[in-house]
Amino acid sequence: MSKPFVFEKPMGMRDTLPLLYQVKQQVRQVMEQEIKGWGYQFIQTPTLEYYDTVGEASAILDQQLFKLLDSEGKTLVLRPDMTAPIARVVSSSMKNVSYPIRLAYDSAVFRSQQREGGRPAEFEQVGVELIGDGTSSADAEVIALMVSALSKAGLDEFKVAVGHIGFLNELFLEVLGNAERAEELLRFLYEKNYVGYASHVKNLALSSIDKKRLLDLLQLRGSEEILEEAKQIAAAGGQKAVADLQELFSILEMYGVKDKVFLDFTLFSHMSYYTGIVFEGYTKELGFPLCSGGRYDQLLDEFGRSAQAIGFGIRLDYLIEALDVKEPVNPRTCIVFSPERRKEAIVKSRELREKGKSAVVQDISGVGNVDEYSGRFEEVIYYIGKPVKGEVK
Amino acid sequence: MSSLLTVAMPKGRIFQEAVELLRQADYPLPPEFEDSRKLIIELEEAGMRFILAKPMDVPTYVEHGVADVGIAGKDVMLEEERDVYEVLDLKISDCYLAVAGLPGQKENSVAPKIATKYPNVAAQYFREQGEQVEIIKLNGSIELAPLIGLADRIVDIVSTGRTLKENGLVEMEKIQGITSRMIVNPASYRMKSGVIDELVERLSKVVESKEEVL
């Protein structure tokens, strides 16, 4: 195998250059501010976790995990999401803190890209977890906060689709009779294969009423009004899900974010992870959901401290792509000096920094092309030659 | 980017039938549409922009969201496994995936070799059959492989069976039926649900009416 060229990086790994860094910083700060405003506390967890704990519990598919071995031969993973690590923390270091717990994070997560480039394998996620509260109020709070964080970041045009896993599970179980057959059908939804779903349903030995219920499910998308229709389709055990969604919408209205949210009962993004509502956010000109989340009432069990929980994660990279931020204003001043006036230059730079400005102090003999160099700065001050008073060019 | 709906069309075999279908659904595609060599064709009056891609690439454009919807064969969907919605069976370009080979050919018993344009589909199929084979990926004229001794059998799509016959090959097993599908990008499906739902509705009417005639 040939050695990689020096410019090469593993697939999906990206550099953040100064301009993008500033944009990220700006967006990140605004969102952090908003999330803190809602009383969530930020935490950090390690980059490496055990495969057998966090790796297994995570919602991310096994083939997307970066795995490595530690010196004892145990398998480690680069954390693929933040929800599983937070579940671990809540059940261990924070096990004496009573529920509910509101935590937030802003961390890089790692997901290996199998097929091709075009998507990052490491990206930053900003998100929250509300652990130990199973109410619709908690559901609504998390969605409202997500909408609010996106709006504060400057995103105008976006929509959040909300589905309900409990609704789907109850319906499929009632109509199909057992979990195995239900899973077969759910897999079509998971694979987004509506054609396969419809033809599978048509071939099932079911009453025409039940077939119609299953087929009508594919059309259950739209505003709050479709909840009436959902009631007709829902299983006896699924009526609670519909009622919960009804309540969710009335709370979202109080938060003033109802117009951003619509229902999509076909939303089914993971075979077994989520338990209640699930949601994904989309924006114009972006082919992927830029945020997602849902209720995961079983995850905490795997870490030995059960709790109902819900959270969201926003992808900072997609958000910035969607925001299309103009150059951020972060002007820098360059103070170019010759050695005999070094002290003046340093005094000046201190003065500027105290005013909150960014100042570079540059020895003229350290630069090749002064004009080209100083051209990169918004403002240039020279201290060159014999000391004279008030030398600003 | 404009508010046009971007539709990824497969060049080649399926293209003509897909264009007909859109016309029958009252989308005003001009007569010169199929003669153009342009890769991007904008049709303001239909509210659509068409991109002409290699059939195997259609799901890629749709998955990445540079096309909102696309028309792709089920063979391509099975091979590529892209994260897109498969919303409608257009029932055009009917064919099937099959295993074929030379009649009476003795197989290499150490490692039977299979030539195909669909390495993932073929690998999956033989795995399910509990058969250990080695896959050789080719890009076209798959029938050549067993004739010249590159592979023992092939996995390919069969429509009339003429190519197989003319080259002295026989079909051995049918894997699955293939038709073309309308596929949709998950984000577009929500952000442009109005236009996309209408497109699905109009196309499914055409598909259904054809079914009745048959």
Side-chain angles (χ1 to χ4, degrees):
Chain A
M1 285 278 261
S2 63
K3 261 176 72 178
F5 290 110
V6 286
F7 61 82
E8 285 185 296
K9 302 183 294 274
M11 186 157 81
M13 293 298 167
R14 294 176 180 178
D15 300 311
T16 303
L17 299 183
L19 186 64
L20 178 59
Y21 186 91
Q22 288 171 40
V23 176
K24 269 189 174 174
Q25 182 81 346
Q26 211 172 301
V27 173
R28 183 192 291 139
Q29 273 171 1
V30 173
M31 288 204 292
E32 276 194 21
Q33 187 74 28
E34 181 63 15
I35 290 169
K36 277 185 202 153
W38 290 53
Y40 286 73
Q41 292 177 302
F42 278 81
I43 70 165
Q44 272 187 335
T45 67
T47 308
L48 291 173
E49 296 269 3
Y50 282 122
Y51 171 75
D52 289 331
T53 60
V54 168
E56 291 264 296
S58 137
I60 307 307
L61 297 177
D62 199 69
Q63 64 262 33
Q64 284 196 287
L65 301 179
F66 280 102
K67 297 178 196 127
L68 53 153
L69 297 177
D70 71 4
S71 54
E72 289 164 8
K74 289 204 176 98
T75 309
L76 310 179
V77 291
L78 292 179
R79 60 162 178 258
D81 68 10
M82 278 300 289
T83 307
I86 286 180
R88 176 182 57 69
V89 170
V90 164
S91 343
S92 53
S93 320
M94 293 182 73
K95 67 168 182 284
N96 296 323
V97 183
S98 66
Y99 291 143
I101 297 174
R102 285 174 169 79
L103 294 173
Y105 59 88
D106 171 5
S107 299
V109 296
F110 304 84
R111 292 175 199 170
S112 149
Q113 298 302 319
Q114 305 293 309
R115 200 196 310 259
E116 63 204 359
R119 290 188 197 191
E122 175 185 6
F123 53 86
E124 212 172 307
Q125 251 190 351
V126 179
V128 310
E129 311 293 347
L130 204 182
I131 296 160
D133 184 343
T135 61
S136 294
S137 305
D139 290 352
E141 174 180 320
V142 165
I143 292 178
L145 173 52
M146 184 176 83
V147 169
S148 181
L150 289 172
S151 304
K152 285 274 157 64
L155 193 69
D156 306 317
E157 214 168 327
F158 64 94
K159 280 187 189 174
V160 179
V162 178
H164 200 297
I165 302 305
F167 178 91
L168 292 177
N169 284 336
E170 293 290 342
L171 173 64
F172 286 12
L173 212 54
E174 183 181 284
V175 175
L176 300 167
N178 67 52
E180 206 174 305
R181 295 176 71 199
E183 193 187 315
E184 221 179 333
L185 197 54
L186 278 168
R187 189 157 288 279
F188 285 108
L189 285 188
Y190 174 67
E191 289 171 353
K192 302 190 169 71
N193 182 357
Y194 291 178
V195 174
Y197 177 95
S199 81
H200 184 82
V201 168
K202 279 175 194 147
N203 290 326
L204 287 169
L206 294 174
S207 70
S208 59
I209 295 171
D210 279 347
K211 278 189 189 180
K212 190 169 177 317
R213 280 166 80 194
L214 292 178
L215 292 176
D216 284 350
L217 173 72
L218 295 182
Q219 309 301 328
L220 265 189
R221 301 185 289 134
S223 59
E224 204 186 350
E225 285 82 65
I226 65 158
L227 282 172
E228 277 309 311
E229 215 178 309
K231 250 184 233 168
Q232 309 299 315
I233 295 176
Q239 294 298 344
K240 184 178 179 312
V242 180
D244 285 351
L245 285 168
Q246 192 88 60
E247 197 181 3
L248 176 76
F249 270 77
S250 71
I251 307 173
L252 289 175
E253 188 166 21
M254 294 175 200
Y255 277 111
V257 299
K258 201 177 80 169
D259 56 326
K260 292 283 187 207
V261 184
F262 69 101
L263 286 160
D264 186 335
F265 280 92
T266 63
L267 203 61
F268 187 69
S269 45
H270 193 280
M271 279 308 287
S272 60
Y273 187 79
Y274 292 110
T275 53
I277 66 158
V278 282
F279 50 89
E280 276 183 357
Y282 313 91
T283 180
K284 256 189 143 181
E285 315 302 357
L286 193 64
F288 312 102
L290 86 161
C291 52
S292 61
R295 181 163 279 290
Y296 51 94
D297 289 348
Q298 277 149 18
L299 176 70
L300 272 286
D301 280 339
E302 298 188 38
F303 293 93
R305 186 188 181 193
S306 59
Q308 296 175 298
I310 181 165
F312 72 74
I314 298 173
R315 288 192 56 157
L316 197 61
D317 55 337
Y318 285 162
L319 175 58
I320 282 163
E321 203 180 317
L323 285 173
D324 190 23
V325 186
K326 303 282 171 288
E327 275 188 43
V329 200
N330 185 14
R332 293 187 302 162
T333 303
C334 184
I335 305 166
V336 184
F337 66 92
S338 56
E340 57 269 43
R341 299 183 64 188
R342 181 181 290 115
K343 193 170 178 196
E344 276 176 78
I346 291 173
V347 169
K348 181 69 184 172
S349 72
R350 196 180 298 144
E351 229 172 74
L352 289 171
R353 286 175 197 142
E354 270 164 16
K355 285 184 203 153
K357 290 192 176 174
S358 310
V360 167
V361 186
Q362 178 61 53
D363 190 328
I364 191 160
S365 52
V367 204
N369 183 339
V370 178
D371 288 340
E372 195 270 335
Y373 180 73
S374 58
R376 287 188 229 157
F377 295 86
E378 279 70 22
E379 194 189 358
V380 189
I381 301 172
Y382 294 95
Y383 289 100
I384 291 167
K386 278 194 194 135
V388 207
K389 274 176 207 161
E391 182 94 358
V392 179
K393 198 170 148 189
Chain B
M1 285 240 269
S2 61
S3 58
L4 296 179
L5 188 76
T6 304
V7 184
M9 298 283 279
K11 286 199 281 194
R13 200 171 56 92
I14 314 174
F15 183 74
Q16 195 55 48
E17 284 183 80
V19 168
E20 284 308 316
L21 206 60
L22 284 163
R23 288 211 178 101
Q24 286 159 358
D26 286 330
Y27 287 96
L29 309 190
E32 66 274 15
F33 188 77
E34 41 275 69
D35 305 327
S36 172
R37 290 197 160 224
K38 280 191 176 166
L39 296 175
I40 301 179
I41 304 171
E42 291 203 359
L43 277 185
E44 292 281 351
E45 57 277 27
M48 288 170 166
R49 178 209 347 252
F50 293 90
I51 64 168
L52 274 56
K54 271 274 213 195
M56 204 62 114
D57 296 336
V58 166
T60 311
Y61 287 97
V62 176
E63 184 187 53
H64 284 262
V66 289
D68 298 305
V69 304
I71 292 175
K74 182 66 186 175
D75 52 333
V76 174
M77 296 300 293
L78 290 168
E79 179 62 23
E80 289 282 306
E81 294 191 309
R82 294 280 170 172
D83 187 23
V84 296
Y85 281 100
E86 190 180 318
V87 293
L88 182 63
D89 186 349
L90 298 172
K91 312 225 163 119
I92 55 172
S93 300
D94 210 347
C95 58
Y96 55 93
L97 273 165
V99 184
L102 283 167
Q105 159 108 344
K106 258 198 146 183
E107 290 226 337
N108 179 336
S109 57
V110 181
K113 284 182 277 184
I114 310 291
T116 183
K117 224 164 49 171
Y118 306 96
N120 293 331
V121 175
Q124 177 73 17
Y125 175 74
F126 287 107
R127 212 177 293 134
E128 281 164 10
Q129 305 297 308
E131 209 184 320
Q132 287 190 51
V133 298
E134 291 182 7
I135 310 278
I136 297 171
K137 152 109 196 204
L138 293 178
N139 290 299
S141 303
I142 315 296
E143 295 80 5
L144 194 54
L147 300 179
I148 200 86
L150 177 64
D152 304 295
R153 282 172 286 169
I154 62 170
V155 167
D156 204 9
I157 48 169
V158 181
S159 45
T160 58
R162 220 182 102 198
T163 320
L164 288 181
K165 210 170 166 191
E166 285 186 5
N167 288 291
L169 299 177
V170 289
E171 188 186 313
M172 294 162 159
E173 292 141 64
K174 197 168 169 175
I175 298 180
Q176 101 164 72
I178 301 291
T179 48
S180 295
R181 309 292 159 95
M182 180 178 155
I183 60 174
V184 184
N185 172 273
S188 303
Y189 202 30
R190 273 81 192 214
M191 292 305 285
K192 299 183 179 176
S193 55
V195 253
I196 291 175
D197 287 346
E198 195 197 322
L199 177 62
V200 175
E201 169 105 30
R202 278 161 73 170
L203 284 174
S204 59
K205 274 202 185 119
V206 176
V207 175
E208 276 164 34
S209 68
K210 279 189 179 171
E211 290 265 281
E212 280 159 24
V213 177
L214 291 171

